[in-house]
Amino acid sequence: MILSLLIVALLTAVYALALASLAPLDLLTGALLGGGLLVASRAVTVPRGRLPVGTVLRRIGAFVPFTFAVVRDVVVSTWRVTLIVLGVQPLRAPGIVKV
């Protein structure tokens, strides 16, 4: 139960950060969406009983390269935007920003 509440709270926080809003209605919407996502993915996010050690290690092992890929994409994209904003590199397609 505590893990479920923590997951919903984290999903609500991510929703609030994406909207950049802490309005009560936005937080309620984020909590409802987070609860819905938790119910839809409950078998994966909140397994019953203890997970085998191999499963936990496999999940941790998959998380590490994922984290590096995300950090790399953020750094490369930030660097490209910085060069364009400073005028060092011209914008090839004005009005369209590759995200």
Side-chain angles (χ1 to χ4, degrees), residues 34-58:
L37 286 171
L38 180 62
V39 169
S41 64
R42 188 158 189 87
V44 176
T45 56
V46 186
R48 294 174 190 232
R50 298 191 81 118
L51 289 174
V53 175
T55 302
V56 173
L57 292 176
R58 202 170 345 115

Side-chain angles (χ1 to χ4, degrees), residues 79-91:
W79 181 250
R80 287 181 182 167
V81 170
T82 302
L83 292 177
I84 291 169
V85 169
L86 293 177
V88 176
Q89 182 179 9
L91 183 60

Side-chain angles (χ1 to χ4, degrees), residues 10 14-15 26 46 48 54-55 57 61-62 76 80 93 97-98:
L10 289 173
V14 169
Y15 184 78
D26 291 337
V46 186
R48 294 174 190 232
T55 302
L57 292 176
V76 168
R80 287 181 182 167
V97 178
K98 183 179 178 183

